[in-house]
Amino acid sequence: MPSTAIRRSARNAARNLAETYKEVDSDCESDESQQSDQSDYEEANTSSKTTKKRSRKSAIKPSAKRTKTTKSGKISKTSLAKRTKNLDQLEAELVENHLYQALAQPEVDISDLALEWVDSYVEDAEENSNESVTVLINLLLRSCGSLHLFQPHDLVNLESAGETVGELVIAFTEQQSHKYPFKALPIFRKNVLSFFEQTIQVCHEKGLLYNYEHNDEDEQEESSLSSPLMSQILTWISSLSSCTIRPLRYTSTVVLLTIQNQLCHVINNVITALDKAQKQLSRTKKTAKSKYESVSKTVQSYHNQKNTIIEYFNEIGNITLGHRYRDIDPLIRQECLKHVSQAMIIYPDHFFQASFLRYFGWLLSDPTNAVRIEVTKVLLKLYKVSHSNLGIGFRQFTERYKKQIIKMSRIDSDVNVRFNAIGICCELQNIGYFEEHDNLEIISIFFEIILDSKSISKVNSHRMRAELAKFLSILNEQFVKEQLEKFSMFTRNYESKQFGDEEGQLKIRDCLKIKSLISILKNTTSFYLGAVHKTESAEKIAADLKAKNVISIIFSILYQLPYYANTWEFLIRYLLLDSSSIKFSPVEGSEFGEDNQEVEEFKSIIDLSKDERLNRLYLLNFIDGAFNNLIATKSKQEELSSVILVRLVSYLPKIQSISIKYPDPLTVFLKLWNLLIGVPLDTLNFFSIFNSLNQTQTYNDINKELLKFYKNYEFVEENDSDLLQQFDLLFGKLLEHYDGQAGSINVLTSENKLQIQDFIRELIEEVKIGTNNRSDFEEDEEDGLRVQRNIVENVAQISQPILKLRRLGDAIDLNEFFDTTLVDHIVFKLLNRFDVSLLTHQWRNNLIANFNSLISGTKDILDLILILLSWKLEKLIKLESHESAQSEVDIEVEFAYTNEVVNALLKNISAIDSTIKEIADQEDNKILTHLNDLKTVYAVKLIDLLVSIKIFYIKFDSTKNNFRNFEDYFGNMEEMGKYITRIIPSDVQYQLLESFLYKEARLASVRDVDLDRGDEEDVNYNDLVREDDENGVNSSRSKSVFDDSDSDADEEQSSNTQKKADSDKVAAEKQQKQWQYEKDLCVYTVKLFSLINTLMVNQFIADRIKLNSEKFGGVFLKIVQQNEQQQEKESTALVEAPSEDVPEPEPRNVEVGSVNREPVASV
């Protein structure tokens, strides 16, 4: 048989072997996750191979000696005995591979080693020997730790390569253990791959890669162009790359792909030489016959070399790459991706085609994170290399997988994959490959990352944000470029006093940049709200976007980019620009008129007047983001203190005058103001800058205007929570040193201090007027309904001053402004005389309409009372070691109104309980829900008050104290003594527990949990909450089921899509309701635990809380378990302590409801 036919037959055999193992790989891929913990070695199915008859002797040797086989081809008993030798014996008998030994040395000269091996191959070829090729292939076996090596005669028959490798698999699996230096030693791996690269290069230089005996007749017979050397190398390494031994398969695949990439370098050199030879041939005259024939032969030789290498590429691609890209081993899949991408960069004419790009597309959905990281990384590299010149194949690939790349950037489970995918999006955006919808979808990822900041680490979040900022900047820059090109003639022929490159003028390019950025972010916000509205409330998401400063954060990241750096002053001047004064006139000598359509069109692009409030709101957020970035950047601090903040002083009053008109822009201004006056460094603190410039009055005026707005604005706590929070921060900072405490920079001036004091007195006066303006309380005792209506109206009337006082009370002790008679007055008129039963029976519809304001107003009143109490407790706690100062304090005076408050709370709790039982069978869910909510407010505030006083009592009752009337106050069993010094009365405990039972039943109803009940429960709480569930979640579900029930067949698909969206929305609403109910239950449970941990209630409360905790699971179960563990620790500590040292049971820290005062929590 001719040599070319033998080589062709060998390649076919290798290809068949690859097809055989292809089935093995595909079967294993689905079970990859289960096999991840297995060894690196796969067992071969040897039963069929050991029984198959062979016409040749055994191929595998554990040492230099030959293993005998029987005539039938079966391995002899002697051979099996040798194979079962222990590892030490095998290593002792092994004749080591000299290439393996040399490449194991870090300082090996690889070029000389490759040249030496090539020379040995040439000598062997002359002597018809196969020794050098055997050494080369055995290098791969030793790289994988195999002690069984090939002998020269084993590699002679290329047609039996599959059987020979199959026998090696058997021997390899029988080896007891393996060393894997190719994977374990990076320097060894590097040397091996470099050796093969150098070998290919030397073989090219010596002509050993090519078959120069090939002629035209061979072409007609479809003969191979491959040289004998490459036939052997590709055949044996390809066979090893298709075996079931994972280390051999991995090592051989990497070596083959390394050879492929080195051939890419070689073919580039060949093509360069071919071009030169062709140019020379074109210049050579045919009359110079000898020279012409010489050059023609040279050109033909280069053509032959190029075609030969192309054939090698096809062999490696078809036999190896075509199967290994979906190998069960993810490392092999990664190597395929990496090497093919390198080949695409080195020799794109062959590899940068759809036939190879498809591998990347298929592996985008790989189940292994590392593979997806690799494929996105190499794709990113390819897009960067390609720039804007995407070939046809790459364009087709991009068009097909664009949506998948965007999706991966949003929802992939691996952050690195998402990061790479966003990087790809940036490169595609550079060439304008995305449509508007795609751009909005990508930018909306910014919103998701900021809103869900806990889902990824801080470092990864910063990386993702920076990459998204890059994408947004590219898009914005492209838009500006388009607009400048569109209006280039206009900008050349028109001028304006407001716009230009001179000092004091705004640059048109900057205006377009910021206006287009506003437009992009506005569109993205609308897109995001529309997308999440399918599963969540758009109103809730919009509130989250404001609360988490999404727009400000985005610009603070953009400000790090050169395109937006140092734009803070332009942003302010653009914000302050009077849109009505914008005027463009023709330049001198221009033929254009002043008023035409183009002028108006251009003005509309840079003008902020259309949708002015929202545009200015975005600009304010940009300014806030810019200064957040400047203050956080250490390298900018010197410029910030000496230049930027100094110049900002003159702008702040103007910015405030624009912002203070509406709540949303004022919220952003307050964020900026709080940021500037809250910097702890004196050189950067804005108050210090005002002082240094003698602008203290300007500073006072800004605070005065803010205080004026706070006084006059009617806050709705749910809608204005962000604004209230910023005012809280402002008052917290201003009043931090109200009493002269030492610490950080005092930003409260004497003028502002007096203004705040006057403001507090005005608020208190409003409360007095509000509670005194109803003479009906005394004059119309007989008309009970009228009295109750007046109480409801009074609560609503004083809700604003009470709310503002309550929030101010977090920062300043209001007791110096209050007198106890006012508190008594509020308790008597608004709490003690309140009759919920009368209102429920005689004024129900009106009561339901006013219930929300009644509940919030009552809560604010009680919170204010608790804040006043907490400040008193804080001062009393500070007297712990000052006995003389204690003697000046009368406990009965300090806690004068507490007993009246407790009695009023208990009276209302009892009245609500009775009312609920009276109307329980009326199936009026709205009133029942409101009554339970009101009762929860009373119960929570009662618990907070009792626990805080209990902790104070425990602290000072266990030690000697000199407080006046301490024992009389707490010893009075008719008043506070029965709640503080003893267990709370049983009827009160049951009333507090009933609120828990209601919340428990409500959560169980939406979760379909069957609750266990205690013997003492006399109310069926399922009846109280069933209607709530039916009117809530189930009604929405029913509506979505019957929507479009009569639609025709053409509308069926649209109807199904709408139903699916409605169903998803209902499911999301149900999940949100479940979480809200669980949160309410957990918060109230923590309150009850505060009573349990201060030993104020019986154990049955704790037992009842625990009863259904296992059924609910989640956060509620964790809270119950944590409390149990803490109780066990405390019990153990008490048992282990010496009897003479047994302490009083110490209550744990208890947070007081919604009151943010720290003193009560620390008591």
Side-chain angles (χ1 to χ4, degrees):
M1 182 182 292
S3 61
T4 55
I6 292 175
R7 289 194 294 272
R8 187 164 60 251
S9 177
R11 288 195 301 276
N12 291 334
R15 192 175 286 110
N16 293 336
L17 180 66
E19 290 293 337
T20 302
Y21 288 119
K22 172 181 175 182
E23 297 178 2
V24 176
D25 290 343
S26 62
D27 291 340
C28 295
E29 279 182 8
S30 61
D31 299 327
E32 180 178 342
S33 59
Q34 288 95 359
Q35 296 188 17
S36 59
D37 296 331
Q38 292 181 0
S39 166
D40 279 337
Y41 311 107
E42 301 170 9
E43 295 184 1
N45 185 358
T46 62
S47 59
S48 61
K49 296 178 181 177
T50 54
T51 58
K52 189 182 292 184
K53 291 186 178 181
R54 300 188 183 95
S55 59
R56 61 186 183 85
K57 296 181 180 180
S58 178
I60 310 303
K61 289 290 292 178
S63 65
K65 297 180 182 180
R66 187 172 179 79
T67 303
K68 295 181 180 179
T69 60
T70 63
K71 291 183 179 180
S72 65
K74 295 182 179 180
I75 302 172
S76 66
K77 294 182 179 180
T78 306
S79 176
L80 286 174
K82 289 184 178 180
R83 285 200 183 161
T84 55
K85 291 179 181 179
N86 62 41
L87 191 64
D88 293 336
Q89 290 176 313
L90 289 174
E91 290 180 342
E93 295 177 3
L94 179 69
V95 177
E96 190 56 88
N97 184 287
H98 76 274
L99 290 178
Y100 175 79
Q101 290 177 317
L103 294 172
Q105 304 300 320
E107 304 299 329
V108 63
D109 190 331
I110 296 175
S111 299
D112 288 347
L113 188 64
L115 183 60
E116 179 185 336
W117 182 87
V118 172
D119 290 340
S120 67
Y121 170 78
V122 173
E123 293 176 3
D124 290 345
E126 293 174 355
E127 299 174 1
N128 202 24
S129 172
N130 207 23
E131 184 71 33
S132 57
V133 175
T134 306
V135 172
L136 185 69
I137 302 304
N138 283 339
L139 169 63
L140 301 183
L141 302 184
R142 292 295 295 126
S143 298
C144 300
S146 176
L147 299 178
H148 301 276
L149 306 179
F150 290 121
Q151 293 301 309
H153 59 266
D154 297 326
L155 306 184
V156 172
N157 188 357
L158 299 183
E159 290 183 302
S160 63
E163 293 182 358
T164 304
V165 170
E167 190 169 337
L168 172 71
V169 168
I170 300 171
F172 193 91
T173 55
E174 291 174 353
Q175 186 176 314
Q176 295 176 355
S177 64
H178 309 78
K179 297 178 181 177
Y180 193 2
F182 190 81
K183 182 177 181 181
L185 302 174
I187 186 63
F188 176 76
R189 172 195 167 105
K190 179 183 177 183
N191 287 345
V192 170
L193 298 181
S194 297
F195 171 75
F196 276 95
E197 290 173 347
Q198 291 294 327
T199 300
I200 294 299
Q201 183 63 35
V202 173
C203 288
H204 162 67
E205 294 169 357
K206 291 182 175 290
L208 297 175
L209 298 180
Y210 317 106
N211 181 9
Y212 292 104
E213 297 177 358
H214 181 269
N215 52 43
D216 295 338
E217 294 179 0
D218 293 333
E219 288 183 1
Q220 296 175 2
E221 298 177 3
E222 297 182 359
S223 63
S224 172
L225 298 174
S226 175
S227 68
L229 171 61
M230 288 300 289
S231 292
Q232 295 182 78
I233 290 177
L234 293 182
T235 297
W236 290 108
I237 300 181
S238 295
S239 299
L240 289 173
S241 71
S242 299
C243 74
T244 55
I245 303 299
R246 191 176 297 191
L248 278 175
R249 203 167 67 246
Y250 174 80
T251 304
S252 302
T253 301
V254 173
V255 169
L256 268 178
L257 295 174
T258 301
I259 291 173
Q260 171 187 270
N261 289 359
Q262 183 59 32
L263 288 172
C264 291
H265 291 290
V266 171
I267 200 172
N268 281 334
N269 295 333
V270 170
I271 291 172
T272 301
L274 176 61
D275 290 341
K276 290 181 180 179
Q278 286 177 329
K279 289 179 182 178
Q280 185 180 1
L281 181 63
S282 65
R283 292 194 300 267
T284 303
K285 297 180 180 180
K286 292 186 178 181
T287 54
K289 188 174 182 179
S290 59
K291 184 177 181 182
Y292 187 84
E293 289 179 355
S294 174
V295 176
S296 295
K297 288 182 179 179
T298 302
V299 170
Q300 183 62 37
S301 175
Y302 286 138
H303 271 298
N304 179 63
Q305 291 182 7
K306 179 181 176 183
N307 294 335
T308 301
I309 296 174
I310 295 296
E311 182 177 301
Y312 295 153
F313 289 155
N314 292 333
E315 286 195 32
I316 295 173
N318 293 336
I319 299 176
T320 303
L321 186 62
H323 301 125
R324 299 281 68 78
Y325 84 93
R326 59 193 184 116
D327 194 282
I328 189 175
D329 186 353
L331 291 176
I332 294 179
R333 303 200 295 272
Q334 287 177 251
E335 293 293 344
C336 290
L337 290 167
K338 183 169 67 176
H339 283 84
V340 171
S341 68
Q342 292 171 357
M344 288 177 174
I345 295 172
I346 301 169
Y347 186 49
D349 289 350
H350 180 81
F351 289 98
F352 218 146
Q353 305 298 330
S355 57
F356 290 96
L357 286 166
R358 60 181 178 172
Y359 298 132
F360 296 162
W362 293 334
L363 291 175
L364 282 172
S365 303
D366 195 278
T368 304
N369 290 353
V371 177
R372 296 199 309 279
I373 292 172
E374 187 66 36
V375 69
T376 50
K377 184 170 74 173
V378 298
L379 278 175
L380 176 58
K381 187 176 181 180
L382 290 174
Y383 279 112
K384 287 182 177 179
V385 171
S386 300
H387 298 296
S388 58
N389 299 320
L390 297 185
I392 296 177
F394 209 15
R395 283 187 175 275
Q396 292 173 345
F397 170 87
T398 304
E399 191 62 37
R400 179 173 180 180
Y401 293 102
K402 177 181 68 174
K403 293 294 183 183
Q404 185 171 350
I405 291 171
I406 295 174
K407 186 177 180 180
M408 292 173 71
S409 68
R410 289 184 55 245
I411 64 174
D412 196 278
S413 60
D414 190 280
V415 176
N416 292 308
V417 174
R418 296 180 66 187
F419 178 78
N420 292 335
I422 294 171
I424 293 172
C425 292
C426 290
E427 296 303 321
L428 291 176
Q429 185 59 55
N430 272 321
I431 57 177
Y433 213 85
F434 289 128
E435 299 174 359
E436 183 179 5
H437 182 277
D438 300 326
N439 293 328
L440 298 179
E441 186 174 359
I442 295 167
I443 300 171
S444 67
I445 302 172
F446 231 142
F447 293 11
E448 294 174 358
I449 293 174
I450 296 172
L451 291 178
D452 190 19
S453 57
K454 295 181 180 179
S455 61
I456 56 178
S457 68
K458 189 175 182 180
V459 173
N460 286 329
S461 177
H462 285 313
R463 290 175 61 219
M464 294 275 287
R465 293 180 185 187
E467 202 68 12
L468 286 165
K470 180 181 175 184
F471 179 89
L472 179 54
S473 176
I474 293 170
L475 177 62
N476 191 19
E477 198 168 354
Q478 288 175 344
F479 182 84
V480 172
K481 185 178 179 181
E482 292 173 3
Q483 293 298 318
L484 287 174
E485 290 176 357
K486 179 180 179 180
F487 292 97
S488 59
M489 182 177 292
F490 176 86
T491 54
R492 288 195 302 267
N493 291 281
Y494 285 88
E495 61 183 3
S496 172
K497 294 180 180 179
Q498 293 99 336
F499 304 98
D501 296 328
E502 297 180 5
E503 186 177 354
Q505 292 182 319
L506 300 175
K507 294 182 179 180
I508 290 178
R509 177 183 293 272
D510 290 340
C511 293
L512 291 173
K513 173 170 61 179
I514 298 304
K515 183 70 183 297
S516 66
L517 180 62
I518 292 173
S519 177
I520 292 170
L521 290 176
K522 283 164 65 176
N523 292 338
T524 304
T525 303
S526 300
F527 171 85
Y528 184 69
L529 292 176
V532 300
H533 185 59
K534 298 174 183 177
T535 56
E536 296 182 60
S537 167
E539 292 77 11
K540 178 181 179 299
I541 298 299
D544 288 343
L545 291 175
K546 287 198 302 181
K548 295 194 176 182
N549 311 323
V550 171
I551 303 301
S552 176
I553 292 173
I554 288 175
F555 194 82
S556 70
I557 300 166
L558 287 171
Y559 201 79
Q560 301 172 11
L561 302 176
Y563 193 57
Y564 299 95
N566 302 318
T567 57
W568 69 269
E569 190 168 14
F570 166 79
L571 294 171
I572 294 175
R573 293 175 57 205
Y574 195 26
L575 173 70
L576 301 177
L577 176 67
D578 182 6
S579 300
S580 61
S581 66
I582 297 177
K583 184 177 181 181
F584 285 93
S585 57
V587 297
E588 187 176 350
S590 174
E591 298 178 356
F592 294 89
E594 288 191 10
D595 297 323
N596 58 45
Q597 185 176 354
E598 194 172 19
V599 172
E600 296 303 319
E601 184 180 357
F602 185 77
K603 285 173 62 176
S604 67
I605 291 177
I606 61 174
D607 187 6
L608 298 174
S609 58
K610 185 179 180 180
D611 200 9
E612 182 175 9
R613 283 181 58 180
L614 191 55
N615 288 335
R616 294 191 186 280
L617 179 61
Y618 273 80
L619 263 177
L620 277 168
N621 275 287
F622 292 172
I623 295 168
D624 179 55
F627 278 95
N628 270 280
N629 179 273
L630 287 169
I631 291 175
T633 306
K634 292 183 179 180
S635 59
K636 290 283 187 179
Q637 289 188 357
E638 183 175 350
E639 181 188 2
L640 191 64
S641 62
S642 60
V643 179
I644 297 176
L645 292 180
V646 172
R647 292 163 68 178
L648 180 62
V649 166
S650 61
Y651 289 118
L652 255 296
K654 300 175 185 177
I655 298 175
Q656 185 193 41
S657 65
I658 290 178
S659 307
I660 208 164
K661 297 177 181 178
Y662 304 102
D664 285 344
L666 181 60
T667 302
V668 182
F669 176 80
L670 277 169
K671 290 175 184 176
L672 176 62
W673 184 248
N674 289 333
L675 172 71
L676 295 172
I677 68 173
V679 178
L681 296 176
D682 187 64
T683 55
L684 295 179
N685 188 277
F686 211 33
F687 175 69
S688 303
I689 302 293
F690 274 100
N691 277 339
S692 64
L693 297 175
N694 294 321
Q695 294 287 330
T696 307
Q697 189 56 48
T698 304
Y699 174 84
N700 288 334
D701 291 341
I702 292 175
N703 285 327
K704 181 181 178 181
E705 289 299 317
L706 294 173
L707 199 62
K708 181 179 177 181
F709 179 93
Y710 188 74
K711 175 186 176 183
N712 296 328
Y713 186 74
E714 295 285 328
F715 289 99
V716 178
E717 203 160 4
E718 291 181 359
N719 301 332
D720 299 317
S721 58
D722 294 338
L723 181 58
L724 284 168
Q725 183 183 14
Q726 293 306 316
F727 270 113
D728 290 345
L729 293 173
L730 173 65
F731 291 129
K733 189 61 187 174
L734 289 176
L735 300 172
E736 184 178 2
H737 303 282
Y738 177 81
D739 292 329
Q741 303 98 321
S744 57
I745 302 170
N746 185 2
V747 297
L748 180 64
T749 64
S750 57
E751 182 176 334
N752 286 155
K753 183 176 181 179
L754 291 173
Q755 290 167 351
I756 292 173
Q757 290 173 340
D758 291 341
F759 173 54
I760 293 173
R761 294 188 182 97
E762 291 174 7
L763 292 176
I764 294 175
E765 189 61 29
E766 287 184 37
V767 174
K768 289 181 178 179
I769 294 172
T771 54
N772 286 329
N773 67 350
R774 294 288 181 179
S775 59
D776 306 328
F777 286 118
E778 288 78 20
E779 297 175 359
D780 202 3
E781 291 288 347
E782 295 182 359
D783 189 355
L785 179 59
R786 183 175 181 180
V787 171
Q788 295 306 311
R789 290 203 309 265
N790 290 339
I791 290 176
V792 174
E793 292 174 10
N794 263 249
V795 170
Q797 183 179 353
I798 67 171
S799 61
Q800 282 297 311
I802 289 289
L803 169 67
K804 294 168 185 177
L805 285 169
R806 174 177 70 79
R807 302 190 81 98
L808 277 168
D810 287 335
I812 184 175
D813 185 0
L814 299 177
N815 284 293
E816 65 176 277
F817 303 96
F818 268 85
D819 55 63
T820 55
T821 57
L822 177 58
V823 177
D824 290 336
H825 195 66
I826 293 173
V827 172
F828 175 72
K829 285 197 170 184
L830 302 182
L831 296 179
N832 201 35
R833 301 187 65 185
F834 181 64
D835 189 344
V836 69
S837 177
L838 189 150
L839 288 169
T840 302
H841 289 92
Q842 299 184 25
W843 203 55
R844 181 174 301 186
N845 291 333
N846 291 306
L847 178 62
I848 291 174
N850 291 276
F851 234 128
N852 288 332
S853 61
L854 176 65
I855 291 174
S856 62
T858 302
K859 177 178 174 295
D860 287 336
I861 291 171
L862 294 173
D863 278 342
L864 178 60
I865 294 171
L866 283 170
I867 285 175
L868 295 173
L869 176 63
S870 70
W871 279 107
K872 291 184 176 182
L873 290 171
E874 179 183 11
K875 290 185 176 181
L876 295 177
I877 292 296
K878 290 180 180 179
L879 302 179
E880 182 178 8
S881 57
H882 301 81
E883 295 183 1
S884 59
Q886 291 177 10
S887 62
E888 300 176 2
V889 177
D890 190 332
I891 294 298
E892 290 186 343
V893 173
E894 294 293 324
F895 299 154
Y897 53 79
T898 53
N899 186 62
E900 292 300 325
V901 175
V902 170
N903 289 336
L905 293 174
L906 289 173
K907 170 185 172 295
N908 286 312
I909 290 173
S910 180
I912 292 175
D913 276 344
S914 300
T915 304
I916 289 174
K917 292 174 183 178
E918 290 172 5
I919 66 172
D921 58 347
Q922 297 180 15
E923 298 184 355
D924 191 342
N925 178 66
K926 288 185 178 180
I927 192 67
L928 287 172
T929 301
H930 286 312
L931 288 172
N932 276 288
D933 289 343
L934 181 59
K935 180 189 174 183
T936 298
V937 171
Y938 287 134
V940 166
K941 301 313 170 186
L942 175 65
I943 294 172
D944 289 340
L945 190 150
L946 294 178
V947 169
S948 58
I949 296 179
K950 174 75 172 185
I951 296 173
F952 169 78
Y953 170 75
I954 292 174
K955 188 173 188 66
F956 285 97
D957 185 56
S958 59
T959 60
K960 183 179 179 181
N961 70 79
N962 289 332
F963 291 120
R964 285 188 291 162
N965 295 320
F966 182 90
E967 293 181 357
D968 292 341
Y969 180 80
F970 290 107
N972 187 349
M973 294 300 115
E974 297 299 322
E975 295 185 356
M976 290 300 294
K978 64 180 177 182
Y979 304 112
I980 303 301
T981 61
R982 296 181 179 180
I983 296 281
I984 293 176
S986 297
D987 58 333
V988 177
Q989 294 186 47
Y990 281 113
Q991 289 171 343
L992 297 176
L993 180 63
E994 283 174 348
S995 290
F996 169 84
L997 298 178
Y998 169 79
K999 296 177 185 299
E1000 181 190 54
R1002 187 172 60 172
L1003 178 60
S1005 69
V1006 295
R1007 286 196 177 179
D1008 298 325
V1009 174
D1010 187 15
L1011 296 177
D1012 296 328
R1013 293 294 185 187
D1015 297 335
E1016 72 283 352
E1017 299 174 33
D1018 57 351
V1019 176
N1020 187 357
Y1021 291 94
N1022 293 329
D1023 292 339
L1024 299 180
V1025 299
R1026 183 182 299 116
E1027 187 67 22
D1028 178 46
D1029 179 48
E1030 292 172 358
N1031 289 340
V1033 176
N1034 292 336
S1035 62
S1036 299
R1037 182 182 293 109
S1038 299
K1039 183 178 180 180
S1040 66
V1041 167
F1042 291 104
D1043 279 346
D1044 301 328
S1045 58
D1046 298 327
S1047 59
D1048 56 27
D1050 294 336
E1051 298 176 348
E1052 183 176 355
Q1053 184 176 1
S1054 175
S1055 174
N1056 290 337
T1057 302
Q1058 182 61 42
K1059 289 178 181 179
K1060 177 65 166 58
D1062 291 342
S1063 177
D1064 292 342
K1065 187 175 181 180
V1066 168
E1069 289 174 353
K1070 181 176 180 180
Q1071 185 177 9
Q1072 181 67 26
K1073 180 173 285 190
Q1074 287 183 13
W1075 166 237
Q1076 184 61 48
Y1077 288 172
E1078 182 176 14
K1079 185 169 66 172
D1080 289 345
L1081 177 64
C1082 291
V1083 170
Y1084 192 75
T1085 301
V1086 171
K1087 295 297 179 184
L1088 291 179
F1089 278 147
S1090 67
L1091 292 173
I1092 296 169
N1093 297 328
T1094 49
L1095 309 180
M1096 301 180 75
V1097 293
N1098 294 317
Q1099 182 60 33
F1100 86 91
I1101 299 288
D1103 295 339
R1104 180 59 187 84
I1105 291 173
K1106 181 182 176 182
L1107 182 61
N1108 294 296
S1109 60
E1110 295 285 347
K1111 293 185 177 183
F1112 283 125
V1115 178
F1116 178 66
L1117 177 60
K1118 289 181 181 178
I1119 291 174
V1120 174
Q1121 291 175 338
Q1122 289 173 0
N1123 190 74
E1124 277 190 325
Q1125 292 169 3
Q1126 186 64 27
Q1127 284 186 324
E1128 289 174 1
K1129 289 181 182 179
E1130 293 174 354
S1131 299
T1132 304
L1134 288 173
V1135 170
E1136 293 177 351
S1139 58
E1140 62 272 20
D1141 296 328
V1142 174
E1144 284 283 332
E1146 281 289 337
R1148 276 174 279 145
N1149 290 346
V1150 179
E1151 186 179 353
V1152 180
S1154 62
V1155 181
N1156 296 323
R1157 291 290 308 130
E1158 294 180 0
V1160 176
S1162 63
V1163 166

